[in-house]
């Protein structure tokens, strides 16, 4: 699906106080940026920001960074953020492939991946955010036993992700093929896509994985 270009979105993003414009300069210094030692959680491909915004409101003692490459989507997250009186949520317009250019080793406590692009063609498997190639990237930036939490309604992508976790020698903390009717449903914060797909009757799959260091 082609994203609709929103006039002025790039200009708004470039001047917004909640968007970090040179994140490479903060590699290894994110604690100093936030001004505290609170855990840092990131969402890669955050979309319009509903999920991460809600988490930031509910958890003031956790710092959140949303990463999104599309300006026309990021602008919607900024609109939500502008209305809030919180200091623990910031955004980066960035390509996930280069995530290790902006975060140092053991700097991030949790990575959220929600309804990521499935890249259905086999030749594009390495682009999937749950591929072993991306897990290797997360391994570098996560603290010991830091979690990657992945949700999707795409069963093929979920099965692929489980295979990649095993290939990468990561550990599964838990998994479910129907999150909303599972023991893990309590406290679940839904994304825009999750609300849409679950309303259509699609079961939501979720896994939590970590790498023992």
């Amino acid at each position: 699906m082609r994203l609709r270009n929103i006039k002025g979105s790039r200009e708004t993003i470039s001047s917004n106080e909640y968007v970090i414009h040179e994140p490479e300069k903060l590699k290894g210094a994110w604690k100093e940026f936030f001004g505290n030692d609170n855990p840092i959680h990131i969402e890669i491909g955050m979309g319009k920001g509903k999920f991460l915004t809600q988490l930031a409101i509910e958890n003031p003692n956790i710092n959140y960074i949303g990463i999104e490459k599309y300006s026309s989507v990021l602008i919607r997250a900024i609109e939500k953020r502008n209305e809030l009186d919180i200091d623990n949520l910031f955004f980066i317009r960035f390509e996930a492939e280069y995530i290790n250019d902006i975060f140092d080793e053991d700097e991030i406590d949790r990575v959220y991946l929600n309804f990521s692009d499935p890249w259905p063609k086999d030749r594009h498997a390495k682009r999937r955010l749950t591929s072993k190639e991306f897990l290797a990237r997360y391994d570098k930036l996560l603290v010991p036993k830091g979690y990657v939490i992945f949700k999707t309604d795409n069963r093929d992508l979920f099965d692929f992700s489980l295979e990649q976790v095993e290939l990468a020698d990561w550990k599964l903390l838990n998994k479910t093929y129907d999150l909303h009717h599972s023991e893990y449903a309590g406290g679940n914060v839904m994304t825009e896509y999750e609300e849409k797909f679950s309303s259509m009757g699609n079961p939501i799959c979720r896994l939590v994985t970590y790498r023992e260091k």
Side-chain angles (χ1 to χ4, degrees):
M1 180 178 66
R2 181 182 295 275
L3 292 173
R4 182 172 64 89
N5 182 53
I6 297 177
K7 185 177 180 180
S9 60
R10 288 181 179 269
E11 292 77 10
T12 299
I13 290 168
S14 66
S15 62
N16 188 267
E17 63 182 310
Y18 303 118
V19 179
I20 301 165
H21 303 293
E22 296 181 299
E24 298 91 342
K25 293 184 177 181
L26 290 171
K27 181 176 180 178
W30 287 101
K31 298 283 189 182
E32 288 81 357
F33 171 80
F34 281 103
N36 57 57
D37 290 323
N38 293 340
I40 300 174
H41 295 185
I42 66 174
E43 183 182 8
I44 300 176
M46 67 168 187
K48 298 177 182 178
K50 177 182 182 297
F51 172 82
L52 211 61
T53 299
Q54 188 62 39
L55 285 181
I57 293 170
E58 293 179 0
N59 303 283
N61 293 324
I62 297 175
N63 298 319
Y64 293 94
I65 302 172
I67 300 169
E68 175 58 53
K69 67 179 180 178
Y70 295 114
S71 297
S72 294
V73 180
L74 177 55
I75 192 70
R76 299 308 186 197
I78 290 172
E79 290 171 352
K80 295 181 179 71
R81 178 67 178 86
N82 288 338
E83 299 173 357
L84 302 175
D85 183 22
I86 58 175
D87 58 6
N88 62 332
L89 175 61
F90 289 85
F91 306 126
I92 303 173
R93 185 177 177 274
F94 203 74
E95 292 276 357
E97 181 181 356
Y98 306 107
I99 194 75
N100 297 119
D101 290 345
I102 59 176
F103 298 116
D104 210 348
E105 293 185 7
D106 301 342
E107 197 163 31
I108 302 301
D109 293 79
R110 187 169 298 180
V111 176
Y112 291 104
L113 307 172
N114 292 313
F115 300 86
S116 307
D117 190 332
W119 290 102
K121 295 182 180 179
D122 288 343
R123 69 175 184 271
H124 293 153
K126 291 183 179 180
R127 299 186 184 183
R128 297 168 191 162
L129 294 182
T130 52
S131 69
K132 58 184 176 61
E133 288 80 12
F134 269 98
L135 289 174
R137 295 181 174 103
Y138 309 145
D139 189 25
K140 293 179 181 178
L141 58 86
L142 280 170
V143 300
K145 295 192 74 171
Y147 294 135
V148 171
I149 301 179
F150 171 58
K151 291 195 289 188
T152 184
D153 72 319
N154 187 312
R155 180 61 183 268
D156 289 340
L157 179 59
F158 192 69
D159 289 340
F160 166 84
S161 303
L162 290 171
E163 293 171 358
Q164 296 296 293
V165 164
E166 184 174 358
L167 286 172
D169 197 26
W170 283 49
K171 308 295 183 183
L172 269 180
L173 182 66
N174 58 63
K175 67 176 181 179
T176 175
Y177 293 96
D178 191 357
L179 173 61
H180 296 174
H181 297 93
S182 76
E183 61 185 296
Y184 310 114
N188 177 56
V189 174
M190 290 202 287
T191 74
E192 289 95 345
Y193 278 128
E194 188 171 355
E195 290 179 343
K196 175 183 177 180
F197 294 141
S198 61
S199 70
M200 296 166 58
N202 297 1
I204 306 302
C205 303
R206 193 194 75 166
L207 66 82
V208 181
T209 184
Y210 65 94
R211 178 87 160 93
E212 289 187 334
K213 298 184 181 181

